[in-house]
Amino acid sequence: MSQRRRIPGLFAPLLLVVAAGATSLGTPASAAEPAARARPLSQVVPAPASVSEGGPSYALTPRTRIRVDDDSREARRIGSYLADVLRPSTGYDLPVTARDARDGIRLRLGSKDASLGDEGYRLESGRHGVTITARRAAGLFHGVQTLRQLLPAAVEEDTRQRGPWTVAGGTIKDMPRYGYRGAMLDVSRHFFSVDKVKTYIDQMALYKINKLHLHLSDDQGWRIAIDSWPRLTTYGGSTQVGGGPGGYYTKADYREILRYAASRHLEVVPEIDLPGHTNAALASYAELNCDGVAPPLYTGTNVGFSSLCVPKAVTYEFVDDVVREIAAMTPGKYLHIGGDEAHSTPHKDYVAFMDKAQAVVGKYGKTVMGWHQLTGAEPAEGAVAQYWGLDKTSATEKAQVANAARNGTKLVLSPADRAYLDMKYDKSTPLGLAWAGYVEVRRSYDWNPGAYLPGAPAQSVLGVEAPMWSETLWTNDQVEYMAFPRLPGIAELGWSPAATHDWDAYKVRLAAQGPRMSALGIDYYRSPQVPWPAE
Ligand code: TNX
C-alpha cells in the first residue's frame, strides 16, 4: 500500500528546497509528487541527536547501487540487509558493490569521529546520494534503520509499489543516550517459536533496540535445553499457561536466535528465574524439592508459590550446571538470574541463595543481572538490578534500590506502570493484565530514565527495558498489539537525548510511524492519544 500523506504546512519551506533538488535530478514523477513524499529528516523515531535539514534531496532510481568499502565484510552484510529491505517494494536491483559509483547509497566504516561511539552514525543526504558513516558496524546498522524511516512508508511493503523513493537533503549525526535499550519476551508462560522470536527481533531493530532479554524459565515452563538436566525441557517444557503443548529451544534453536539477534546487532540476555518461579524445574526433578516430592506441572498464572530448596547441596549443582551451559553458549555479557517474587523463600535463605548464585555467574565470566529484589540481598560487584516498581512503590523499597545504586549497582529501568508492555492500555484492551494500572501511550513515554528513581545517581542508569510478560499472549499479532506503539516510545527514551523529550512533538513523529507499521504488517493499537494519519 503506498502512502500519500498531506504536507503539514510547517514543512513547506523545506519542501520547496527538496522539490527543487528533485527536479534538477530529473526524477521521473511530476515536480509536486516527490515533494509530497520526502519526509523531514527529523521525523524519525527515536529522535536523532542532531539534525540539519536542507539542500537537494536524493531519489533512488533503478540504477542506484549500494556501495561498500572493498575490505569490509560487515559493511557488505549490512548493505545486503538494506538491499533486502528495499528491493521488494522498489523493484530495483540495488546491487551491493565495492565499485566506485558517482551516486547511490554509500555505507562506510572507519569514521574517525570518536564522538559517534560504538553505535553512532552520520547520515548525509544530498544530490548524489546518501552516505552513512560509522566507527562500528552497529552504528552503520542503526544508520540504515534511520534511512528506512526517511523513505516513504510504502518502502516496507513486500510487493512492488510506486515511487518516487525520495530522501530529503541534510545531515543527521546521531548516537544513543544509553547503551542498554532492551525488550524482554517471556517465552515461558507461553512458548514462542524461533520464527516468532525472529519476527519480534526485526521489529525491535527498526527502533534501535539493542538487547533481547529472554525470560527462559518460570513456573509454567522451562524453555532452554540443558544437557545435564534433560527433563527440564522434555517434561518441564511440555506445557504452558492454559495447558497445551508448550515447547522449548534445543541448543541449536537457541544458537539460531543468537545468530539472528547478532545479525540485527542485538545482544541476547538469557534469564533463568531463581530461586522462585521454578515450578517447572521442581516438577521435573524431585530431588530439587526440600521434601523430595515433585509437584505437578502448573498451567495457571499465580506467582510466588515455588522455591528451590536453599539448604540442599544438589540445588547448587543444578545452578552451576545450568549457568555453565547457558554461559558457554551465550556471547553476551549478561546472565539474568531473576530473583523476583520469591515469596516462598524465607528472607535469610533468599540472601544466602543469591550470594551463591551470583558467584556462579561470575565464575562463568558473566555479569549478574537480577530483578531489583536483588538489592534486598547483597548485589555482587558490577551487578545490574532491573527496577520494575511503580510510581506508588513504597519510598523504602525505592530507597533500597537507590542506595544500592549509590554503592555501585547499575540499573536498568522497567517501571511496570510505564514500561510493561503486557499492561492494558485502558479498560477496553482485550489482552494483557492491569495489576500495575492502565498504561496508555503517553504514560509509557512521558518519564525520564535519568531522573526516575529518587536518590539514584544518573550515572548508575545503564538504560531502559520494556518487558512483555506472556500470561495472556501467544501470537505475534498479540505481541505486536501490546508492543506497538509503546515499544518505540521506550526505545526513544533509551536512545534520544533528554533535550528532545516532548510528548507533543513525539506524538506527531509517532503518528508518522502508523503507515510504516501497517506496511510492515504490524497490528498496532490505534491509541486515541496519537494523531494517526488516515490510511
Ligand atoms: C510480575 S515483573 C512478574 C512476572 C509477571 C508479571 C506480569 C516480575 C519481575 N515478575 O512474574 O509475569 O508481573 O505483569
Side-chain angles (χ1 to χ4, degrees), residues 186 189 218 277 303 340-341 371 388 420 422-423 433 435 469 471:
D186 170 7
R189 270 52 176 274
D218 211 302
H277 290 277
V303 297
D340 58 313
E341 298 174 321
W371 298 103
W388 60 284
Y420 268 31
D422 63 316
M423 289 300 122
L433 304 174
W435 65 264
W469 299 100
E471 285 93 333

Side-chain angles (χ1 to χ4, degrees), residues 13 56 171 290 388 482:
T171 302
C290 281
W388 60 284
M482 300 308 278

